[in-house]
Amino acid sequence: MTTHHFSTEVDSGPTAELAVEAHGLVKVFGDQRAVDGVDLVVRRGEVFGVLGPNGAGKTTMLKMLATLLPIDGGEGSIFGVDVRTNPHVVRQLLGVTGQYASVDENLTATENLVLFGRLQGLSRPAARETAARLLTQFGLEEAATKQIAQFSGGMRRRLDLAASLITRPPLIFLDEPTTGLDPRTRGQMWTTIRELVEQGSTILLTTQYLDEADQLADRIAVIDQGRKVAEGTSDELKSSVGRSTLQLQLVSADDIPVAASIAERLIGESPVLTPEARRMNIALQRSDQAVDVLVGLREQQIHIDSVTVQKPSLDEVFLALTGHDTGEGGADTDPPTGRDSNDLEAVR
Ligand SMILES: Nc1ncnc2c1ncn2[C@@H]1O[C@H](COP(=O)(O)OP(=O)(O)O)[C@@H](O)[C@H]1O
Ligand SMILES: [Mg+2]
């Protein structure tokens, strides 16, 4: 297999362990601070999710880090390269989706990718080879000779991602990669993203979808009104809200009153009982209390059929952190953002 290199920077590979490092990022539009002092650290090889509702400042943040929008305050670097002072090097390290708005709809998928490859400095044979490889990788072989104008939303999104990968960038920015896609196409995009990570890419993605962040991201920053309100793994965010529930089903309904009083003594709160189903649900302050309850029940020879610990959903986490929901109205419904407002088109 041949690989194509376009600069010594990419050729030697970035050595810094931090793919993204930003401190106090600020963007001001008029009297609005669209991004209001955000710190961000993305480690090499991880998927980092920026989760926030429409208008939170996600796209603006990515644009600044991608050198597509001037930084008004703070600083950012990509693999140790300063975004402000070295934008040309930064661009070689980055694949950014959303560039497709400007492409000719009458071109076929292959023609588009070849064009992009040529614009990036590839020879004609190299551009053709790269186009063919990417179309296969993204399941677009059959669409290779189709005009973009006939593409579905999902196909466009995949072609867009394919185009951003022509130079094999070590870091990929995905701005709401599945917004507006139907659930099946969305699943395909998730698979593609996971494959990219397996192949060694680092990914910074934005999303309004809590389940998407939950499924894909190693770590998540929750952004609201230009500020970071929380950060951590999905599990950490969920436990920070501290509303896990221990759900128990007992062997005998007769044990329920005794079991309830044990749980109440240990946790300090009375469980919710469903005697006809031999069930009790206990709201935990901390997840390690589950063990206390199980040990307490065993000491009294109370037999248990099944145990589950239900963590709070990321939706509950978001609500607890920001006082409002993401406004997405469920991941399977039409999202509030249109494709256009989401594009990372260059501003210069
Ligand atoms: N070019 C612009 N001029 C003025 N305001 C803008 C511009 N781009 C974005 N904004 C505003 O900045 C805020 C953040 O926008 P954006 O970064 O697009 O949010 P998100 O991507 O999270 O939906 C919004 O209130 C938006 O209206
Ligand atoms: Mg956006």
Side-chain angles (χ1 to χ4, degrees):
M1 194 166 84
T2 48
T3 51
H4 310 285
H5 300 295
F6 313 104
S7 71
T8 48
E9 288 84 5
V10 175
D11 202 357
S12 55
T15 50
E17 273 314 303
L18 296 183
V20 178
E21 194 175 5
H23 294 291
L25 272 190
V26 172
K27 185 74 209 176
V28 182
F29 292 121
D31 55 6
Q32 185 196 8
R33 295 173 77 84
V35 176
D36 193 6
V38 173
D39 295 340
L40 206 65
V41 170
V42 179
R43 299 175 196 133
R44 174 196 291 272
E46 77 177 344
V47 179
F48 191 95
V50 172
L51 171 68
N54 197 17
K58 305 182 294 298
T59 299
T60 305
M61 216 167 73
L62 286 200
K63 278 186 174 173
M64 284 193 285
L65 291 170
T67 77
L68 299 174
L69 203 56
I71 295 175
D72 289 348
E75 52 196 31
S77 61
I78 303 297
F79 291 112
V81 180
D82 191 285
V83 173
R84 254 202 281 230
T85 56
N86 259 322
H88 301 292
V89 179
V90 164
R91 275 178 225 157
Q92 288 171 336
L93 298 171
L94 264 184
V96 178
T97 64
Q99 300 171 330
Y100 246 77
S102 57
V103 161
D104 189 342
E105 293 269 314
N106 296 315
L107 296 183
T108 66
T110 299
E111 287 166 344
N112 263 282
L113 290 180
V114 169
L115 174 65
F116 265 72
R118 298 286 285 153
L119 290 173
Q120 311 264 12
L122 291 186
S123 69
R124 189 174 297 276
R128 289 199 172 282
E129 188 200 324
T130 304
R133 172 175 57 77
L134 287 168
L135 288 171
T136 307
Q137 182 183 349
F138 287 89
L140 292 168
E141 304 104 310
E142 285 167 25
T145 57
K146 234 186 192 180
Q147 291 180 327
I148 309 298
Q150 298 160 23
F151 271 37
S152 68
M155 288 161 71
R156 279 168 192 264
R157 214 64 75 85
R158 275 181 282 156
L159 188 60
D160 181 17
L161 182 51
S164 74
L165 299 179
I166 285 173
T167 57
R168 299 173 185 261
L171 174 63
I172 303 164
F173 283 3
L174 298 174
D175 195 22
E176 299 197 24
T178 67
T179 295
L181 298 185
D182 62 77
R184 194 177 63 89
T185 318
R186 205 167 160 238
Q188 288 173 349
M189 186 58 98
W190 287 2
T191 305
T192 302
I193 292 170
R194 291 193 180 105
E195 284 167 2
L196 291 172
V197 175
E198 274 166 26
Q199 291 160 19
S201 296
T202 303
I203 292 183
L204 174 58
L205 71 85
T206 72
T207 184
Q208 315 183 28
Y209 300 138
L210 300 146
D211 61 334
E212 183 157 288
D214 207 356
Q215 288 284 321
L216 289 179
D218 298 302
R219 291 188 305 129
I220 299 167
V222 182
I223 306 282
D224 191 38
Q225 295 176 3
R227 290 171 187 256
K228 186 166 75 178
V229 294
E231 182 171 352
T233 64
S234 172
D235 277 350
E236 283 166 357
L237 291 176
K238 288 171 185 172
S239 6
S240 73
V241 175
R243 288 190 44 212
S244 294
T245 307
L246 175 63
Q247 301 177 330
L248 294 177
Q249 186 172 37
L250 305 184
V251 172
S252 163
D254 298 344
D255 287 339
I256 291 245
V258 179
S261 70
I262 293 170
E264 190 167 349
R265 177 169 52 80
L266 291 170
I267 309 294
E269 231 181 293
S270 34
V272 177
L273 306 178
T274 323
E276 59 279 12
R278 297 176 279 119
R279 287 191 164 281
M280 55 186 230
N281 286 357
I282 305 156
L284 304 175
Q285 315 296 329
R286 303 182 318 271
S287 48
D288 60 348
Q289 289 177 321
V291 176
D292 298 346
V293 173
L294 294 176
V295 170
L297 294 177
R298 170 176 297 183
E299 280 168 358
Q300 298 302 314
Q301 266 100 53
I302 292 172
H303 299 289
I304 297 162
D305 240 2
S306 70
V307 180
T308 27
V309 176
Q310 181 91 50
K311 289 191 169 156
S313 71
L314 266 184
D315 292 85
E316 289 174 84
V317 174
F318 199 86
L319 185 63
L321 289 170
T322 67
H324 60 82
D325 64 27
T326 58
E328 63 171 281
D332 291 343
T333 59
D334 275 340
T337 36
R339 180 79 179 102
D340 290 341
S341 61
N342 197 28
D343 283 343
L344 276 173
E345 77 282 8
V347 291
R348 46 177 110 158

